[in-house]
Amino acid sequence: MFQFLFVSCFVSGSDSEILFSGEALLAQNKASVHGLIKNPGKENKMQYAFTENQKKEIADLLSKDERASLSVLLTIPSPKKELDLNGKSFTFALLPDSAFSSGVKGNFQSFFQSGINEKVQVSISFDKKSLPAGFYLQSDLPLALESLALASAKLGFSKEEVPLFAFGPDGGEIDFSFTSADFSSSKKLFGENNSKLQLTFIPSEDIGVLEKQKRLRFSFADKSLSVRRIRGEQKLKIYESAFTQAFGKIKITELSEEVKDFLLTASDIDFSKNESTPALLPIPADPGLILSWNQESWRRKDYELFAWEQFPQVLFFDFADYATQNKIFTRLAYFVEKTGYKGTLVDEDFVENKHGYNAHDYKADDLARFFTKVYRTNFPINPQEQMLLKILLANKIILAEEDGTFSAGQGSIISVSRESPDYLRYTLVAHESWHGIYFSDEDFRNTVFVSYSMFDPESMEFLKTYWETQPTLSYDRSDEFLMRNEFMAYLMQQPVSQIKSYWTNHAKWNSVQKAQKELADYIILTDAQAFEDAANFLASYAFDRWGLNAGRVNLVSY
């Protein structure tokens, strides 16, 4: 219940009952004293000015962050009688020294239809070029101002206990249905390619089924994105620099009811280009975004460094071309996996002229062993490998010991190249990403071991011989960790629906027929059924745990 105090005389600049930063706001009219528009027919506006101390606090925050937001907490009581709400609205706007700014408008009919329980927060963000001197609230219906708060700049909405609707300096209209957001002022507020969308879902165990997973879908400009649900808590960052176009106005077309936060804030990554130093800090991103990330916004021309957001211990290199990737990883590939070369450091001629792989994956202990041998033998490595060492140390994937050697930290690295055609990149990203999960998750390794142990023996012999005899692979079949890891990745790199044709076609290759005709014919005769059965087993496990599937390691897709 509201209590009202009527004053017979009002002087502009009187202290208000509304506090901000521990000091009373300066009321500019009667309604402002108590923070209440009781009878809009007589007085429908509250107007406030900031004290000098309040202005200084805002200026101090802006000197550190360059931008901030002012948020009002409002109470909007339900009408006691039936009213014609058509066209009835309220407005919140900041007051610069010289003129009224653009405001935020809320429609009362939409508000009451939304089911929001009386209280709502509305914020307006601004930068240091436009310091507010005060603000006003105007309303066609009774409305109370409960409090005012200063916070970081943001755009969008949040479904907290008291929902928040956040706008930029251009204002806008509140969508109480939580199905749209206006990020058009992001460039003005945060700068070009300097913002990120923070998306949080309401926790849920219902994510649909493997064949029809629940998805949030939203569109902006000419883009349409979907985000698949995973079980439990789910958060995601989507950086604006991933795209060639700014976000602008966004429309959510599916699953908006499961979104908790849909907020655009300042980027926590510096996207400035710097060709002279390594990109040490990875960009958290979903593989679906990495695949088509706007290459013009890479921090270096030769590569960009990401961290898989769902598995942040997995570092992800995307290279501009094979040549750059080879200089960093070819020597490492021979040291870790190539039959006849494991544990040795090949010379620079190998790096320049021999084939490593089109994509790579390495776990922490292999990386530590490689750079330890480099140190102990005083082996000359190239500048690109020196850069890799800095990145690994900066991200604690390997650790430097006092004696000059290196030990395993936490995590792994994977890589692909932009030189691979899109269809191949998608498969390679899936293949290498599954390796990253395998390195990181013991329960997954145990599940793979169960599938590996139950696999048809003749199909297994075909698979190991294929890896050993194909000249571009040359895997060491005596390495059981490698065999189980590759068994899993080759099953999970494409959709289950494609796996039979993939392996029966491989079995028909001339090089395969020549190396192992009897086993290859067995795969053709059995229609690679053992491969499909094992893939179904692993795909079901991956969906239940992470919302992933065979042939798909991304949650975000276009």
Side-chain angles (χ1 to χ4, degrees), residues 230 235 237 280-287 290 305-316 391 394-397 410-414 433 436-437 440-441 546:
I230 62 173
K235 296 183 178 181
K237 293 178 184 177
L280 298 178
L281 182 66
I283 303 167
D286 181 85
I290 296 171
L305 180 66
F306 300 92
W308 189 353
E309 189 164 19
Q310 200 172 1
F311 304 92
Q313 67 274 34
V314 179
L315 286 192
F316 198 125
I391 293 171
N395 289 280
K396 296 183 172 54
I397 291 180
Q410 294 292 322
S412 59
I413 59 174
I414 60 179
S433 297
I437 299 176
S440 307
D441 193 275
W546 305 300

Coordinates of all heavy atoms in Angstrom, one line a residue, residues 230 235 237 280-287 290 305-316 391 394-397 410-414 433 436-437 440-441 546:
I230 N 21.0 -27.9 -24.0 CA 21.6 -29.0 -23.3 C 21.0 -29.1 -21.9 O 20.3 -28.2 -21.4 CB 23.2 -28.8 -23.1 CG1 23.5 -27.5 -22.3 CG2 23.8 -28.7 -24.5 CD1 24.9 -27.3 -22.0
K235 N 24.9 -21.6 -20.5 CA 25.2 -20.2 -20.8 C 26.1 -20.2 -22.1 O 26.8 -21.1 -22.4 CB 26.0 -19.6 -19.7 CG 25.3 -19.5 -18.4 CD 26.1 -18.8 -17.3 CE 25.3 -18.6 -16.0 NZ 26.1 -17.9 -15.0
K237 N 28.3 -17.3 -24.9 CA 28.7 -16.0 -25.4 C 28.7 -16.0 -26.9 O 29.3 -16.9 -27.5 CB 30.0 -15.6 -24.8 CG 30.1 -15.4 -23.3 CD 31.5 -15.0 -22.9 CE 31.6 -14.9 -21.4 NZ 33.1 -14.6 -21.0
L280 N 47.5 -14.7 -27.3 CA 47.7 -15.6 -26.2 C 46.3 -15.9 -25.5 O 46.1 -17.0 -25.0 CB 48.6 -15.0 -25.2 CG 50.1 -14.8 -25.6 CD1 50.9 -14.1 -24.5 CD2 50.7 -16.1 -26.0
L281 N 45.4 -14.9 -25.5 CA 44.1 -15.1 -24.9 C 43.1 -15.6 -25.9 O 42.8 -15.0 -26.8 CB 43.7 -13.8 -24.3 CG 42.3 -13.8 -23.5 CD1 42.5 -14.6 -22.3 CD2 41.9 -12.4 -23.2
P282 N 42.6 -16.9 -25.7 CA 41.6 -17.4 -26.6 C 40.3 -16.8 -26.5 O 39.9 -16.3 -25.5 CB 41.6 -18.9 -26.2 CG 41.9 -18.9 -24.8 CD 42.9 -17.8 -24.6
I283 N 39.5 -16.8 -27.6 CA 38.2 -16.3 -27.7 C 37.2 -17.5 -27.3 O 37.2 -18.5 -28.1 CB 37.8 -15.7 -29.1 CG1 38.8 -14.6 -29.5 CG2 36.4 -15.2 -29.1 CD1 38.7 -14.3 -30.9
P284 N 36.4 -17.4 -26.3 CA 35.5 -18.5 -26.0 C 34.4 -18.5 -27.1 O 33.8 -17.5 -27.4 CB 34.8 -18.1 -24.7 CG 35.7 -17.0 -24.1 CD 36.3 -16.3 -25.3
A285 N 34.2 -19.6 -27.7 CA 33.2 -19.7 -28.8 C 32.8 -21.2 -29.1 O 33.5 -22.1 -28.7 CB 33.9 -19.2 -30.1
D286 N 31.6 -21.3 -29.6 CA 31.1 -22.6 -30.0 C 31.7 -22.9 -31.4 O 31.9 -22.1 -32.2 CB 29.5 -22.5 -30.1 CG 28.9 -23.8 -30.5 OD1 28.7 -24.6 -29.6 OD2 28.7 -24.0 -31.7
P287 N 32.0 -24.2 -31.6 CA 32.5 -24.6 -32.9 C 31.7 -24.2 -34.1 O 32.2 -23.9 -35.2 CB 32.6 -26.1 -32.8 CG 32.8 -26.4 -31.4 CD 31.9 -25.4 -30.7
I290 N 33.0 -20.8 -34.8 CA 34.4 -20.8 -35.3 C 34.5 -21.1 -36.8 O 35.2 -20.6 -37.5 CB 35.2 -21.8 -34.4 CG1 35.2 -21.4 -33.0 CG2 36.6 -22.0 -35.0 CD1 35.8 -22.4 -32.0
L305 N 42.9 -17.8 -32.4 CA 42.9 -18.8 -31.3 C 41.6 -18.7 -30.5 O 41.2 -17.6 -30.1 CB 44.1 -18.5 -30.4 CG 44.2 -19.4 -29.2 CD1 44.5 -20.8 -29.6 CD2 45.3 -18.9 -28.2
F306 N 40.9 -19.8 -30.4 CA 39.6 -19.9 -29.7 C 39.8 -20.9 -28.5 O 40.7 -21.8 -28.5 CB 38.5 -20.4 -30.6 CG 38.3 -19.5 -31.8 CD1 39.0 -19.7 -33.0 CD2 37.4 -18.4 -31.7 CE1 38.7 -18.9 -34.1 CE2 37.2 -17.6 -32.8 CZ 37.9 -17.9 -34.0
A307 N 38.8 -20.8 -27.6 CA 38.6 -21.9 -26.6 C 37.2 -22.4 -26.8 O 36.2 -21.6 -26.9 CB 38.8 -21.3 -25.2
W308 N 37.0 -23.6 -26.9 CA 35.7 -24.2 -27.0 C 34.9 -23.9 -25.8 O 35.2 -24.3 -24.7 CB 35.9 -25.7 -27.2 CG 34.6 -26.5 -27.6 CD1 33.3 -26.0 -27.7 CD2 34.5 -27.8 -28.0 NE1 32.5 -27.0 -28.1 CE2 33.2 -28.1 -28.3 CE3 35.5 -28.9 -28.1 CZ2 32.8 -29.4 -28.6 CZ3 35.0 -30.1 -28.5 CH2 33.7 -30.4 -28.8
E309 N 33.8 -23.2 -25.9 CA 33.1 -22.7 -24.8 C 32.5 -23.8 -23.9 O 32.5 -23.7 -22.7 CB 32.0 -21.7 -25.2 CG 31.3 -21.0 -24.0 CD 30.5 -19.8 -24.5 OE1 30.2 -19.7 -25.6 OE2 30.2 -19.0 -23.6
Q310 N 32.1 -24.8 -24.5 CA 31.5 -25.9 -23.7 C 32.6 -26.8 -23.1 O 32.3 -27.4 -22.0 CB 30.6 -26.8 -24.7 CG 29.6 -27.7 -23.9 CD 28.7 -28.4 -24.9 OE1 28.8 -28.3 -26.1 NE2 27.8 -29.2 -24.4
F311 N 33.8 -26.8 -23.6 CA 34.9 -27.5 -23.0 C 36.1 -26.5 -23.1 O 37.0 -26.6 -23.9 CB 35.2 -28.8 -23.8 CG 34.1 -29.7 -24.0 CD1 33.2 -29.6 -25.0 CD2 33.8 -30.7 -23.0 CE1 32.1 -30.5 -25.2 CE2 32.7 -31.5 -23.1 CZ 31.9 -31.4 -24.2
P312 N 36.1 -25.6 -22.2 CA 37.1 -24.5 -22.2 C 38.6 -24.9 -22.2 O 39.5 -24.1 -22.5 CB 36.8 -23.5 -21.1 CG 35.9 -24.4 -20.2 CD 35.2 -25.4 -21.0
Q313 N 38.8 -26.2 -21.7 CA 40.2 -26.6 -21.6 C 40.7 -27.1 -23.0 O 41.9 -27.4 -23.2 CB 40.3 -27.8 -20.7 CG 39.6 -29.1 -21.1 CD 38.1 -29.1 -20.7 OE1 37.4 -28.1 -20.6 NE2 37.6 -30.3 -20.4
V314 N 39.9 -27.0 -24.0 CA 40.3 -27.4 -25.4 C 40.5 -26.1 -26.2 O 39.6 -25.3 -26.4 CB 39.2 -28.2 -26.1 CG1 39.6 -28.5 -27.5 CG2 38.9 -29.5 -25.3
L315 N 41.8 -25.8 -26.5 CA 42.2 -24.7 -27.4 C 42.0 -25.0 -28.8 O 42.3 -26.1 -29.3 CB 43.6 -24.2 -27.1 CG 43.9 -23.5 -25.8 CD1 45.3 -22.9 -25.9 CD2 42.9 -22.4 -25.5
F316 N 41.5 -24.1 -29.6 CA 41.1 -24.3 -31.0 C 41.9 -23.3 -31.9 O 41.6 -22.1 -31.8 CB 39.6 -24.2 -31.1 CG 39.0 -24.8 -32.4 CD1 38.0 -25.7 -32.2 CD2 39.5 -24.5 -33.6 CE1 37.4 -26.3 -33.3 CE2 38.9 -25.0 -34.7 CZ 37.9 -25.9 -34.6
I391 N 52.0 -19.8 -26.2 CA 50.5 -19.9 -26.1 C 50.2 -21.0 -25.1 O 49.3 -20.9 -24.2 CB 49.9 -20.2 -27.5 CG1 50.0 -19.0 -28.4 CG2 48.4 -20.6 -27.3 CD1 49.6 -19.2 -29.8
A394 N 51.0 -19.8 -21.6 CA 50.0 -18.8 -21.1 C 48.7 -19.3 -20.7 O 48.0 -18.8 -19.8 CB 49.9 -17.7 -22.3
N395 N 48.3 -20.5 -21.4 CA 47.0 -21.1 -21.1 C 47.1 -22.3 -20.2 O 46.2 -23.0 -20.0 CB 46.3 -21.4 -22.4 CG 45.8 -20.2 -23.1 OD1 44.8 -19.7 -22.8 ND2 46.6 -19.8 -24.1
K396 N 48.4 -22.5 -19.6 CA 48.6 -23.6 -18.6 C 48.3 -25.0 -19.1 O 47.9 -25.9 -18.4 CB 47.9 -23.3 -17.3 CG 48.4 -22.0 -16.6 CD 47.6 -21.8 -15.3 CE 48.2 -20.7 -14.5 NZ 48.3 -19.4 -15.1
I397 N 48.4 -25.2 -20.4 CA 48.3 -26.5 -21.0 C 49.5 -27.3 -20.7 O 49.5 -28.5 -20.4 CB 47.9 -26.5 -22.5 CG1 46.5 -25.9 -22.7 CG2 48.0 -27.8 -23.1 CD1 46.1 -25.8 -24.1
Q410 N 46.6 -28.7 -17.9 CA 45.3 -29.2 -18.2 C 44.9 -28.8 -19.6 O 45.1 -27.6 -19.9 CB 44.3 -28.6 -17.2 CG 44.5 -29.0 -15.7 CD 44.1 -30.5 -15.5 OE1 43.2 -31.0 -16.1 NE2 44.9 -31.2 -14.7
G411 N 44.3 -29.7 -20.3 CA 43.8 -29.3 -21.6 C 44.4 -30.0 -22.8 O 45.3 -30.8 -22.7
S412 N 44.1 -29.5 -24.0 CA 44.6 -30.0 -25.2 C 44.4 -29.0 -26.3 O 43.8 -27.9 -26.1 CB 43.8 -31.3 -25.6 OG 42.4 -31.0 -25.8
I413 N 45.0 -29.2 -27.5 CA 44.8 -28.3 -28.6 C 44.3 -29.0 -29.8 O 44.7 -30.2 -30.0 CB 46.1 -27.5 -28.9 CG1 47.2 -28.5 -29.3 CG2 46.5 -26.6 -27.8 CD1 48.5 -27.8 -29.7
I414 N 43.5 -28.4 -30.6 CA 43.1 -28.9 -31.9 C 43.2 -27.8 -33.0 O 43.3 -26.6 -32.6 CB 41.7 -29.5 -31.9 CG1 40.7 -28.4 -31.5 CG2 41.6 -30.6 -30.9 CD1 39.2 -28.8 -31.5
S433 N 37.5 -32.2 -32.7 CA 36.8 -31.8 -31.5 C 36.5 -33.0 -30.6 O 36.6 -32.9 -29.4 CB 35.5 -31.0 -31.8 OG 35.8 -29.8 -32.5
G436 N 39.4 -33.7 -28.7 CA 39.5 -32.8 -27.5 C 38.7 -33.2 -26.3 O 39.1 -33.2 -25.2
I437 N 37.5 -33.7 -26.6 CA 36.6 -34.2 -25.5 C 37.2 -35.5 -24.9 O 37.3 -35.7 -23.7 CB 35.2 -34.5 -26.0 CG1 34.5 -33.2 -26.5 CG2 34.3 -35.1 -24.9 CD1 33.1 -33.4 -27.1
S440 N 39.9 -34.9 -22.5 CA 39.4 -34.1 -21.3 C 38.6 -34.9 -20.4 O 38.5 -34.5 -19.2 CB 38.7 -32.8 -21.7 OG 39.4 -32.1 -22.7
D441 N 37.9 -35.9 -20.8 CA 36.8 -36.5 -20.0 C 37.0 -38.0 -19.8 O 36.9 -38.8 -20.7 CB 35.4 -36.2 -20.7 CG 34.3 -36.5 -19.8 OD1 33.9 -37.7 -19.7 OD2 33.7 -35.6 -19.2
W546 N 25.9 -34.0 -23.4 CA 26.3 -32.7 -23.8 C 25.4 -32.1 -24.9 O 25.7 -30.9 -25.3 CB 27.7 -32.7 -24.4 CG 28.7 -33.3 -23.4 CD1 29.1 -32.8 -22.2 CD2 29.6 -34.4 -23.6 NE1 30.0 -33.5 -21.6 CE2 30.4 -34.6 -22.5 CE3 29.7 -35.4 -24.7 CZ2 31.3 -35.6 -22.3 CZ3 30.7 -36.4 -24.5 CH2 31.4 -36.5 -23.4

